[in-house]
Amino acid sequence: MTMNLHFTKMQGAGNDFIVINGIDQPFQLTAEQIQTLAHRQFGIGFDQLLLVETSKVADFKYRIFNADGSEVAQCGNGARCFVRFVVDQKLSNKHEISVETASGIITPKLENNGLVTVNMGAPRLSPSEVPFIADAAANSYVLEVADQQITISAVSMGNPHAVQIVDDVEIAPVVALGSQIEVHPRFPERVNAGFMQIIDEHHIKLRVFERGSGETLACGTGACAAVVAGIQLGRLQSPVKVSARGGELHIAWQGGNSPVMMTGPAVAVFTGNIEI
Ligand SMILES: N[C@H](CCC[C@H](N)C(=O)O)C(=O)O
C-alpha cells in the first residue's frame, strides 16, 4: 500500500536533506524506500532524511537516515535545518530548542541573523567510543589502506570520523580513498572520512566522504571532528573557519570535555509530496 509523504527539502552549506514531520504523519519507511527517495534521478535526491518526532526528555526527537537507508546517531548540518524547520512549521515558539538524538541531547539555536548555532556536545576521543580498533588512545593513528599507510585522527561527535591532513583538498583522492576508509575493518560501524587542508591555525578547507552517503558538499559533524583533531595535534586554534565546497561553517572548542559549538546556515528550498 502506498502513502503520500509530505516533506521539506532543505540544505545546510550544500549538505541536503528532506525533513519529515513525524509528529503529524507516522513514519514507516523501509531502508529500501529511503534509498529510492534519496536517488538523485529516480527519487527526490538527498544526503540524509531527517525525522522530527516527540520526545520525553527534550523538546523534540531527531532521527537521521543516510541515503543508503542506514539510521545514524548524529548530523550537524541537519541539526541546523531541524531548528529552522521547527520554527518555520510553528512546532515551537522557541528559537533555541533541546533535541534528543541517539547520541545525546544537542541544542540548536536560530540566531537573529538567520544563522544557526548548535552545541554539539563534547567530542569523544577514546577509541572504544568512536568506535575504532586501536591498542591505546592517541591523537593520531597509522591506518593501512589501499596498499598505503595514512595518518588519521579518530573522533566521534556521536558519529565516527577518520580525519587526515592533506596538502590540497582539491586534488585529494576523496572518493577513491574515502570509499575504502569508510569500510575499513578497524571501524566496526564504518566511518566518515575527512580530508583537511590547513590554511592557517584559524582556517581549514575540508572535504568529507560520508558514511552511507558518499562525498557531500559539507559535513557538520565532520567539520567539528576535523577542528577537534587539528587542535589536538597542535595545528589549529579555536575558533576555526571551515571552508567546505558548499559553504562555510564556524567551529569553536575549548578542549577537554567542553562542547563543540558549530555555527552555519540552514535553508528551506521547497516543500513537496510524493507517493511512496
Ligand atoms: N553520514 C553521517 C551522518 C550525517 C553527517 C553529516 N551530514 C553532518 O552534517 O554531520 C554518518 O553516517 O555518521
Side-chain angles (χ1 to χ4, degrees):
M1 186 187 70
T2 64
M3 68 171 289
N4 181 282
L5 182 69
H6 183 71
F7 65 89
T8 299
K9 185 77 173 30
M10 300 189 77
Q11 59 88 9
N15 188 194
D16 69 330
F17 314 102
I18 64 169
V19 186
I20 292 168
N21 179 337
I23 302 169
D24 290 355
Q25 54 184 349
F27 183 79
Q28 294 149 339
L29 296 180
T30 65
E32 292 70 27
Q33 288 176 312
I34 293 171
Q35 289 172 13
T36 300
L37 292 175
H39 199 285
R40 297 283 179 192
Q41 284 77 37
F42 298 114
I44 303 163
F46 55 76
D47 294 326
Q48 280 88 30
L49 181 155
L50 312 179
L51 183 62
V52 181
E53 296 185 324
T54 58
S55 168
K56 294 184 172 61
V57 298
D59 294 322
F60 294 95
K61 184 174 185 180
Y62 169 34
R63 293 174 66 192
I64 303 131
F65 300 84
N66 282 319
D68 69 356
S70 58
E71 182 167 4
V72 292
Q74 197 52 272
C75 175
N77 289 323
R80 301 196 311 276
C81 291
F82 191 99
V83 68
R84 171 93 265 171
F85 178 86
V86 160
V87 171
D88 288 352
Q89 301 295 318
K90 299 181 174 38
L91 298 177
S92 172
N93 57 16
K94 298 196 293 185
H95 280 208
E96 182 170 9
I97 59 174
S98 60
V99 178
E100 175 194 358
T101 74
S103 64
I105 290 179
I106 58 174
T107 49
K109 178 184 180 185
L110 180 56
E111 307 285 359
N112 294 334
N113 62 8
L115 294 178
V116 178
T117 296
V118 190
N119 174 334
M120 292 296 294
R124 279 129 271 187
L125 301 173
S126 67
S128 61
E129 290 182 289
V130 174
F132 174 58
I133 296 170
D135 296 335
N139 287 337
S140 65
Y141 306 90
V142 173
L143 199 67
E144 309 265 348
V145 59
D147 300 329
Q148 55 185 300
Q149 291 190 338
I150 61 171
T151 300
I152 57 121
S153 296
V155 180
S156 170
M157 290 304 302
N159 60 343
H161 291 270
V163 187
Q164 61 183 286
I165 296 172
V166 296
D167 294 334
D168 182 345
V169 286
E170 294 312 321
I171 60 172
V174 173
V175 175
L177 191 57
S179 57
Q180 297 193 60
I181 295 170
E182 179 196 8
V183 294
H184 195 284
R186 289 182 68 183
F187 290 96
E189 294 177 8
R190 298 189 293 164
V191 70
N192 300 283
F195 297 76
M196 153 168 73
Q197 177 183 345
I198 296 178
I199 308 301
D200 64 43
E201 62 185 11
H202 290 288
H203 183 199
I204 62 172
K205 293 173 76 173
L206 180 70
R207 291 172 66 187
V208 181
F209 188 93
E210 287 199 28
R211 176 179 62 170
S213 296
E215 181 176 6
T216 57
L217 293 182
C219 179
T221 51
C224 296
V227 169
V228 167
I231 291 173
Q232 290 288 95
L233 291 169
R235 302 290 303 275
L236 296 176
Q237 284 205 38
S238 182
V240 177
K241 178 170 77 173
V242 179
S243 297
R245 284 186 154 181
E248 268 183 20
L249 300 177
H250 292 266
I251 309 294
W253 181 55
Q254 303 312 319
N257 282 325
S258 66
V260 181
M261 302 302 292
M262 171 186 62
T263 301
V267 177
V269 182
F270 65 89
T271 60
N273 293 284
I274 189 166
E275 285 294 324
I276 181 78

